[in-house]
Amino acid sequence: MEVMEVPEPPPPGPGEVIVHPDAVGICGSDFHFFAGELQIFDSSPYPRVQGHELTGIVEQVGPGTSRVGVGDRVSVMPISGCGSCYPCRVGRGNVCDDFSLVGIHTDGGLQEKLRVPESQLFPIAAEPEVAALAEPFSIAVRTINRSRIQEGERVVVLGAGPIGQAVHLLAGDRGASTLLVDRLQSRLELGAASGAEGLLWESRDQVVEACREWAGGEGPPLVVDATGAPDPIRAAVDMVASAGRVVVVGMSGEEVPLRIGTFTEKELDLRGVSCCDPEEFAEAVRFVERHQELLEPLISRSFPLERAPEALAYAMEHPAEVIKVVITSGAAT
């Protein structure tokens, strides 16, 4: 990663807006993209300006814009669909076969000016660093909605990183109880401060037994995997109650050996989660606006834009200390 001068974008066209990004979060998919591990490209996507978790201030608006104005703080929904493939035709454009993601397919928020369609902007009333959490919380909203969570349910969340923490908070907002499972005690302690119970991962068998006991012996009705790792996913299938649901939001290229009979004997629902739709992004924005003080502890450290390479390296090299690193236009803290 290099810091360099790039040309300013052209003036916004019809329905377009120029945004000055002033807070950009770094997430696990940024790590995978930086390492060349995302297998979604037919040709090299590099060089690319990263940054898809972003908020900023509207600087210019093009003809025909009506939802935002100059000076508004906005959060950017980074994904857009083609509108014609099967997922788009059935209202699931979030898994479009030819989707485009800001910061992955097109240049993202780690620059001073970004031109984006107004349709991908959502006004947000929150401080910049917290407002940048709207995008990861939109993934958690999608997870909660796909999981069909019910008030009073006991939910196991495997992985207490940013998405796991967000799922826990949103589950609590829906009246569910959560047990966070992670290999890092520091992440469990962070979740405990906002009402989660915690379990340190020692082995798959130990976790399966403890989670079943926590849920009352039958197993939890809902298990969310936010790791993408084989052992936790296998544990989720093993521990979940008969007629239960396993929801996988963790990203990886790993393969997981599973006993097929478990699905038929227990009649499980296994669901994956990708990005959100516009309504879910708006729901995430409203949650962030309502709970700013609750979300502030998720911001582990901030760096100014000129130190973006250092910020990425720090986030990748210090998992025990980091939930969310944010790159801002201000000074490092």
Side-chain angles (χ1 to χ4, degrees):
M1 180 181 281
E2 298 179 17
V3 178
M4 58 190 297
E5 294 290 331
V6 296
E8 289 198 5
E16 293 182 330
V17 172
I18 300 294
V19 174
H20 167 65
D22 59 4
V24 180
I26 298 176
C27 88
S29 59
D30 290 313
F31 303 165
H32 293 301
F33 182 77
F34 180 77
E37 296 169 350
L38 292 185
Q39 305 299 316
I40 59 173
F41 305 103
D42 295 327
S43 59
S44 172
Y46 309 104
R48 176 70 66 228
V49 177
Q50 287 190 261
H52 64 273
E53 298 182 1
L54 69 137
T55 184
I57 302 297
V58 174
E59 288 194 346
Q60 292 179 264
V61 297
T65 55
S66 59
R67 293 176 53 245
V68 301
V70 173
D72 288 350
R73 171 163 300 287
V74 293
S75 183
V76 179
M77 185 179 78
I79 191 169
S80 58
C82 70
S84 60
C85 66
Y86 173 74
C88 288
R89 295 197 306 272
V90 299
R92 300 272 293 277
N94 63 306
V95 286
C96 170
D97 290 334
D98 192 25
F99 73 95
S100 178
L101 191 66
V102 172
I104 299 292
H105 299 91
T106 61
D107 285 344
L110 290 179
Q111 55 184 326
E112 294 174 318
K113 295 181 185 290
L114 178 67
R115 187 175 65 162
V116 286
E118 183 193 32
S119 59
Q120 293 177 236
L121 301 182
F122 292 77
I124 184 168
E127 292 301 311
E129 292 180 350
V130 175
L133 293 173
E135 196 281 334
F137 269 80
S138 75
I139 306 302
V141 169
R142 181 70 176 176
T143 302
I144 293 295
N145 290 344
R146 292 274 288 162
S147 70
R148 307 191 313 275
I149 196 168
Q150 301 295 316
E151 184 176 359
E153 281 192 317
R154 296 176 74 80
V155 182
V156 172
V157 181
L158 301 171
I163 299 300
Q165 298 284 348
V167 168
H168 146 61
L169 291 169
L170 284 158
D173 196 54
R174 305 261 181 119
S177 301
T178 53
L179 175 66
L180 285 171
V181 182
D182 202 277
R183 299 178 187 272
L184 299 175
Q185 185 64 40
S186 59
R187 293 185 169 188
L188 299 180
E189 292 170 357
L190 179 63
S194 56
E197 296 185 60
L199 175 66
L200 192 66
W201 177 287
E202 296 175 1
S203 71
R204 189 174 73 210
D205 290 343
Q206 162 255 343
V207 165
V208 169
E209 182 178 354
C211 290
R212 284 176 174 166
E213 182 178 348
W214 175 80
E218 295 180 316
L222 171 62
V223 183
V224 176
D225 175 75
T227 71
D231 252 11
I233 293 173
R234 174 63 184 270
V237 171
D238 290 346
M239 77 171 68
V240 72
S242 294
R245 294 104 65 205
V246 174
V247 178
V248 179
V249 62
M251 176 190 293
S252 81
E254 299 280 354
E255 296 184 3
V256 184
L258 297 171
R259 178 178 171 273
I260 299 302
T262 306
F263 291 90
T264 52
E265 293 158 7
K266 297 168 74 170
E267 203 171 70
L268 301 181
D269 291 347
L270 176 61
R271 291 191 160 200
V273 173
S274 183
C275 300
C276 71
D277 61 28
E279 291 76 17
E280 289 164 328
F281 198 93
E283 184 177 346
V285 165
R286 293 192 295 270
F287 184 88
V288 169
E289 289 177 328
R290 293 197 310 270
H291 299 288
Q292 291 191 63
E293 290 186 5
L294 185 65
L295 304 189
E296 286 175 356
L298 300 180
I299 309 298
S300 308
R301 191 170 174 187
S302 65
F303 291 79
L305 180 61
E306 59 268 22
R307 291 171 60 191
E310 181 185 347
L312 181 67
Y314 180 84
M316 295 178 71
E317 294 168 4
H318 296 82
E321 303 169 25
V322 165
I323 290 294
K324 183 63 62 178
V325 168
V326 177
I327 297 171
T328 73
S329 57
T333 59

